[in-house]
Structure formats: C-alpha cells, structure tokens
C-alpha cells in the first residue's frame, strides 16, 4: 500500500550539502574520514541557530564496501558499510543524530554497475551456465572484435574480453566496473531490495548515480560520431561519440518508475538523479510526476564565469522545465574542479565565488553545496606519488579544512589519505566569527533564503534591461517582489533598478538600508533587493 505523503516536496525548500565521507572528518585518527566524523560535525551544519550553516539535508557519497578502484563507485556489497568509514551502527547513529537536528540524509545509490569483486559478478563470470550470467551484459565473441564501438566514459573501449569464457562484458566506466543488465528482472528486484534496505534504516532518499545509463540498446548498435559540440562541456566530459544507443534510452524511464514506486511505499522519501541526457531539454523527461523528484542540472558546474553563459543556462532550464518540474543548481561536486579554482583570475576568485553563491541560492530550485565551498576551499595540489583517482579528481576531494591546526583539524593522523589544501589560510575556525568571511556569507544567504518566501516559492523572471555582462532576475510571489543583481565584471555596472531595500550584498563596503535608483554595482558584487 502506498503511504500518502503528509509533507509533499520537502526537497523543494531544502538546502542540500554534499559530503565526501572519506574527506570530511576523521573520528579515529587513521587519516580517513568516517561516518562518526560526520556525526560529530552535524551542529556545524545545523544546530537550529544562525551560528550554524542552516543545512536541511546531506548527501553522502558512496559508503558501501568497495575495493576502491573508483573510490566507492565500484560497490562490492550494496547493503554494507566500508570498514574504513564505520559500520551499520555508525550509520544508525548518524541517521538518529541528523534527524534530531531536522537534517535529512540521502545516500548514494550506484545501480548501473558493480565492482568486478562483487559476488554477483564473480559468479557471473564463472561460466556460461551460471545462474547470474545474465545479471551482466555478456556477449560471446573473439578478442579481435568488440560487440560495438561504445566508449568508456573514462577512455578506451567499453568492452572487456574475458578469455575464460570467450566473451566480452560491458563496462561504461573502468573495466573493474561491469554494467548490470536491467533487462533481467532479477537484477531490478535485487536493486529494489538494496533500496528498501537503506530506507528501512532511516535514509531519506537517494542520489542515483548515472541514472540515464541504466539500460542499453538491445541490439548493441554502434554509436554515431559526435558532430555538434556543446560549448559549455569540456571535450573530456562530453566524449567523441553521441551515446545514442548506450545511454538515455526510452526504456530507462520504466526502470525509474519502478524505483519511484519503491521509494513512494515509504513516507516522505525522495530521489535525485545524476542525469546526463543527450540534450539539456531532455532533463525534464526524468522529472515526470512518477519518476525522479529532482535531477542534477550541471550547467553551472560546466559553464565558465560569464553572465551570458549563466543566463543561457537558466533560461534554457526554465523553458524546458516549465512550471511542473523543479530545477536543481550546483557549482561544484566530487567529479570536477571546485568552482573557486575554476573561476580564479587575477586574484578575483573569492569575489567571483561570492557572486556565484548568491546566484545559486537565490534562483528558483534546490541548491546543492559541496563540502568546503562555503569557506572557499580550493583544489589541493596532489603530488604524483599521492594520486589515487584513476582520472585525476583527487584535488577536489581533499580533506575538509576545519582549523589551522595539524591537517586542518581533519585528522590527528601523521598522514591523511589525501594531502590537505591550504588550511592555514582557509578554514572554518578562522571564518566563524568574521562577519565578512565566505562562511558568514553562506550562513546569511541560507537564512535569508529560508525567511524570504519569494526566494523559495517565487517565480523566476529575467530582468530585461540589465547590461549583457550582468545577470539580473526577479523572484516574485503575489505578496513579495525580489530582484537579484549580479555583476560578473571587474568594473562597476549601473542597473536600472527601482528603489528598494537591500537585503544582502557581497560587498563589505555596501551600506545597509535603502537601494538608490539607479543602483551601481561594484566590481564582482551581488545584491538581493526587495522592491515591493
């Protein structure tokens, strides 16, 4: 029986915070972050007062057992905890303490592939007749001819030849990450079982990895060569093929509906998908009423620091989503360089990151903050002998910088699993009491968002008379009118803005109170103004 949700859409109002558990806080001194470390810092995220960040929900990157070929995204047990991160009791403590603080917890579900050390795959590759053979995508053949031209997202062929059974298996990521076969109902039910396991333990939902890729063309047809390029997406992220047959297939939506039916059988749960559709307009297809509640929109994460790029991303999202689907916005995550590192130019990185923060937290939709961005953490320098990640993402996964103490207060260990960044200059303790710090800006922004109905519930409308190199937009409810004005240049800009009350500015030199007409924005300044 489906439980009727008494509080529909909590995720619309929430501010999410992404935590890479190995890098957030080490509770036992082994140099590796863990679940108890997360629990110990929940008051920093939300203690119910303006002194905390004001986070409503956290997303944990994978916490499952894994050989760590892809640092947790190669799962060897869907229903366990990696021993370096804790155990199920530690997870239960985290859930209980988070819920005491009204913080919801979603966990990473990685349903597209497993580790090649998962017992399912070990059985599957044992023989052609093994009962789990059809749990993965195996194609008999000869070593000189892969079944199709499909490419791995990490480079090279997406097929691996296994001489023991003279067959190829599909891996759209590393060869240690074989893809599951969602045309087999036993696989579907096994993943549904994993979903129920975590929901039964109190998880509030899931971030679902590579959800658009869960089913492939049944004829394994070759992908066409990519002809048109998206100017916002780096070549290494977009690839040389249009994944017409290996991803974003029509059948994937029924798989998502099945996952939705399972989560809807529990009270007040949700799913957000890592969605990479072939065209941005297709993202809304994943947000139908019986599919995902949220789908990640990566346009900001990919766009360079340019008002025109951001404006185009917003307008395209609003046009393709309409009123029925709810957007998400994110500036950084565990797969790409941190935005303050991407934006830094001529010493403007901090100011630019502040402008971007106002943009993300003032738009219509749900924001996702990546741990450390609220203090302006940059990518860490990783020496060659400390590299872990197979495709070079270590820099954006460095330990959280809590203080200026040893290892930035992350760990008492002599050696942390990844090198720390510049924690002497950038850390929580240094910024906590500084009213002009990045952390104080994020706290004020989140508090303002929560106390301003137009910023949560209001419609979005472009401000037509703004300079091209600025981004200005309206957020409106019948009772409140807000204008958000963002200057993406290193020079002042004049905005033809009606007089109003300035609710927030990123400039310490901006006096509080009324906004004069017209409004002159300082270089790299963002303001939020109530005009009616």
């Amino acid at each position: 029986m489906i439980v009727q949700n008494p509080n529909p859409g909590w995720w619309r109002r929430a501010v999410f915070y992404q935590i890479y558990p190995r890098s957030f806080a080490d509770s036992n001194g082994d140099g590796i972050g863990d679940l108890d470390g997360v629990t110990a810092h929940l008051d920093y995220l939300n203690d119910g007062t303006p002194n905390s960040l004001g986070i409503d929900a956290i997303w944990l990157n994978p916490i499952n057992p894994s050989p760590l070929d892809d640092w947790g995204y190669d799962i060897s047990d869907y229903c366990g905890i990696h021993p370096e991160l804790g155990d199920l009791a530690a997870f239960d403590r985290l859930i209980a303490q988070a819920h005491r603080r009204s913080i919801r917890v979603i966990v990473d579900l990685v349903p597209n592939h497993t580790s090649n050390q998962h017992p399912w795959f070990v059985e599957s590759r044992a023989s052609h007749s093994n009962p789990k053979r059809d749990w993965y995508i195996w194609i008999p053949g000869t070593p000189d001819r892969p079944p199709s031209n499909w490419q791995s997202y990490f480079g090279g062929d997406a097929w691996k030849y296994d001489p023991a059974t003279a067959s190829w298996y599909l891996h759209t990521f590393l060869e240690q990450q074989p893809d599951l076969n969602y045309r087999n109902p036993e696989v579907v039910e096994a993943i549904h079982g994993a979903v129920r396991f975590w929901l039964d333990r109190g998880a509030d939902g899931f971030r679902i990895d590579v959800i658009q890729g869960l089913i492939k063309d049944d004829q394994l047809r070759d992908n066409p060569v990519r002809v048109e390029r998206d100017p916002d997406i780096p070549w290494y992220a977009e690839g040389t093929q249009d994944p017409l047959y290996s991803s974003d297939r029509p059948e994937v939506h029924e798989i998502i509906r099945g996952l939705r039916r399972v989560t809807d059988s529990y009270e007040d749960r949700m799913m957000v998908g890592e969605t990479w559709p072939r065209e941005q307009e297709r993202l809304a297809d994943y947000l139908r009423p019986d599919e995902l509640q949220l789908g990640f929109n990566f346009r900001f994460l990919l766009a360079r620091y340019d008002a025109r790029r951001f404006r185009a991303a917003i307008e395209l999202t609003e046009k393709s989503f309409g009123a029925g689907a709810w957007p998400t916005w994110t500036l950084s995550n565990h797969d790409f360089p941190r935005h303050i590192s991407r934006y830094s130019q001529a010493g403007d990185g901090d100011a630019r990151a502040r402008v971007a923060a106002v943009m993300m937290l003032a738009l219509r939709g749900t924001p996702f903050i990546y741990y450390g961005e609220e203090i302006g953490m940059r990518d860490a320098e990783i020496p060659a002998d400390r590299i872990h990640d197979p495709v070079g993402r270590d820099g954006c996964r460095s330990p959280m910088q809590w203080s200026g103490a040893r290892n930035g207060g992350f760990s008492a260990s002599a050696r942390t699993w990844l090198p720390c960044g510049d924690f002497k200059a950038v850390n929580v303790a240094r910024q906590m009491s500084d009213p002009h710090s990045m952390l104080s800006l994020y706290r004020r922004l989140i508090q303002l968002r929560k106390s301003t109905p137009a910023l949560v519930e209001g419609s979005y409308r472009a401000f037509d008379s703004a300079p091209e190199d600025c981004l200005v937009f309206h957020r409106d409810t019948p009772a409140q009118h807000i204008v958000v004005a963002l200057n993406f240049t290193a020079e002042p800009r004049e905005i033809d803005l009606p007089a109003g009350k300035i609710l927030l500015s990123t400039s310490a030199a901006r006096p509080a109170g009324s906004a004069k007409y017209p409004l002159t924005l300082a270089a790299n300044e963002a303001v939020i103004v109530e005009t009616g």
Side-chain angles (χ1 to χ4, degrees):
M1 184 176 82
I2 301 297
V3 177
Q4 293 300 313
N5 188 341
N7 182 28
W10 62 263
W11 34 269
R12 286 177 176 252
R13 303 183 65 88
V15 176
F16 281 77
Y17 188 88
Q18 178 188 352
I19 292 176
Y20 198 78
R22 298 180 67 87
S23 292
F24 195 62
D26 171 18
S27 71
N28 60 7
D30 65 356
I32 300 169
D34 46 50
L35 295 182
D36 282 337
V38 176
T39 302
H41 287 82
L42 289 174
D43 279 345
Y44 165 76
L45 298 177
N46 195 342
D47 66 0
T49 76
N51 293 323
S52 66
L53 197 53
I55 295 300
D56 303 295
I58 57 177
W59 152 33
L60 300 173
N61 283 107
I63 56 177
N64 308 94
S66 164
L68 305 179
D69 289 304
D70 189 19
W71 294 96
Y73 285 95
D74 50 321
I75 288 173
S76 55
D77 178 3
Y78 279 105
C79 298
I81 303 289
H82 195 291
E84 292 178 341
L85 304 181
D87 53 23
L88 288 172
F91 179 80
D92 294 342
R93 288 192 294 270
L94 172 56
I95 290 289
Q97 291 300 318
H99 287 174
R100 279 187 57 195
R101 294 162 175 81
S102 299
I103 299 173
R104 308 197 190 231
V105 181
I106 67 170
V107 295
D108 229 316
L109 178 69
V110 187
N112 179 70
H113 47 265
T114 69
S115 165
N116 62 353
Q117 297 182 36
H118 195 294
W120 297 347
F121 188 72
V122 173
E123 288 190 48
S124 180
R125 77 186 312 174
S127 71
H128 289 281
S129 60
N130 190 280
K132 285 193 168 53
R133 183 67 170 185
D134 197 37
W135 281 44
Y136 296 83
I137 301 174
W138 287 97
I139 305 296
T142 58
D144 58 324
R145 188 173 183 180
S148 72
N149 72 342
W150 298 352
Q151 296 290 296
S152 162
Y153 290 110
F154 288 168
D157 289 339
W159 296 97
K160 175 68 175 177
Y161 190 73
D162 187 39
T165 57
S167 300
W168 296 85
Y169 68 83
L170 180 68
H171 61 91
T172 51
F173 292 88
L174 298 176
E175 66 180 60
Q176 296 93 337
Q177 295 171 287
D179 284 36
L180 287 162
N181 176 18
Y182 276 82
R183 297 186 184 278
N184 184 337
E186 293 179 346
V187 170
V188 173
E189 185 50 44
I191 296 299
H192 286 183
V195 167
R196 294 186 187 98
F197 177 86
W198 294 106
L199 295 179
D200 286 340
R201 296 199 85 93
D204 295 288
F206 300 92
R207 177 268 189 186
I208 305 180
D209 191 56
V210 65
I211 196 165
Q212 82 287 342
L214 294 186
I215 200 162
K216 285 77 177 174
D217 179 51
D218 58 354
Q219 300 177 51
L220 305 180
R221 286 171 283 188
D222 283 351
N223 283 329
V225 174
R226 190 181 297 281
V227 177
E228 296 185 3
R229 292 294 315 280
D230 187 322
D232 281 342
I233 301 180
W235 67 268
Y236 56 82
E238 192 174 39
T240 59
Q241 292 184 350
D242 177 2
L244 178 62
Y245 297 111
S246 58
S247 183
D248 199 14
R249 302 296 301 160
E251 304 98 311
V252 77
H253 297 284
E254 185 52 41
I255 297 171
I256 298 171
R257 293 184 190 103
L259 291 167
R260 178 64 181 267
R261 287 190 291 270
V262 175
T263 56
D264 276 356
S265 67
Y266 292 75
E267 183 178 337
D268 220 14
R269 314 301 171 92
M270 58 82 66
M271 301 185 297
V272 54
E274 183 197 23
T275 37
W276 291 95
R278 292 196 306 279
E279 297 89 22
Q280 179 69 6
E281 294 87 341
R282 297 168 63 92
L283 179 56
D285 293 346
Y286 289 82
L287 305 175
R288 297 170 179 134
D290 58 349
E291 295 190 41
L292 298 172
Q293 286 94 341
L294 297 174
F296 274 112
N297 180 355
F298 296 114
R299 306 308 290 189
F300 284 0
L301 191 149
L302 296 166
R304 59 180 179 264
Y305 189 81
D306 183 284
R308 300 167 188 82
R309 294 290 187 191
F310 289 127
R311 185 184 304 110
I314 296 165
E315 297 292 339
L316 177 59
T317 299
E318 287 288 336
K319 178 181 177 181
S320 58
F321 276 34
W326 193 250
T328 66
W329 304 104
T330 188
L331 295 166
S332 295
N333 72 14
H334 62 291
D335 281 332
F336 288 86
R338 290 178 176 273
H339 66 275
I340 193 168
S341 294
R342 303 195 312 268
Y343 297 161
S344 290
Q345 179 178 320
D348 283 348
D350 186 86
R352 289 179 166 197
R354 290 168 183 261
V355 172
V358 174
M359 175 180 65
M360 179 178 72
L361 284 157
L363 279 166
R364 185 180 81 94
T366 298
F368 281 75
I369 296 169
Y370 187 44
Y371 81 97
E373 81 173 58
E374 76 278 9
I375 59 171
M377 272 180 60
R378 289 165 168 78
D379 288 354
E381 295 288 338
I382 309 296
D385 63 346
R386 300 289 301 277
I387 291 173
H388 289 303
D389 186 63
V391 290
R393 297 165 294 183
D394 291 318
C396 67
R397 300 174 178 184
S398 61
M400 179 67 176
Q401 296 165 195
W402 294 104
S403 72
R406 183 183 191 180
N407 299 322
F410 163 73
S411 173
S413 173
R415 182 182 174 93
T416 56
W417 84 280
L418 277 177
C420 298
D422 186 8
F423 59 83
K424 293 291 186 182
V426 177
N427 65 68
V428 171
R430 184 172 182 175
Q431 296 187 23
M432 187 65 76
S433 300
D434 179 359
H436 303 303
S437 68
M438 185 79 76
L439 177 57
S440 291
L441 172 66
Y442 268 81
R443 288 186 298 198
R444 286 187 290 125
L445 265 171
I446 293 171
Q447 291 162 19
L448 179 62
R449 174 187 169 88
K450 291 183 175 183
S451 62
T452 308
L455 292 180
V456 177
E457 304 164 0
S459 61
Y460 167 89
R461 179 166 52 93
F463 188 98
D464 294 330
S465 59
E468 277 294 301
D469 49 13
C470 293
L471 174 61
V472 185
F473 55 89
H474 304 265
R475 297 296 312 282
D476 296 327
T477 64
Q480 190 175 44
H481 181 201
I482 298 291
V483 176
V484 181
L486 312 161
N487 181 6
F488 285 84
T489 78
E491 301 174 355
R493 287 290 183 268
E494 190 172 277
I495 309 295
D496 188 19
L497 189 68
K501 179 183 178 183
I502 293 180
L503 302 181
L504 181 142
S505 169
T506 59
S507 171
R510 171 77 61 182
S514 299
K516 296 180 180 179
Y517 169 82
L519 178 68
T520 299
L521 293 175
N524 289 307
E525 183 188 12
V527 299
I528 299 177
V529 182
E530 185 172 17
T531 62

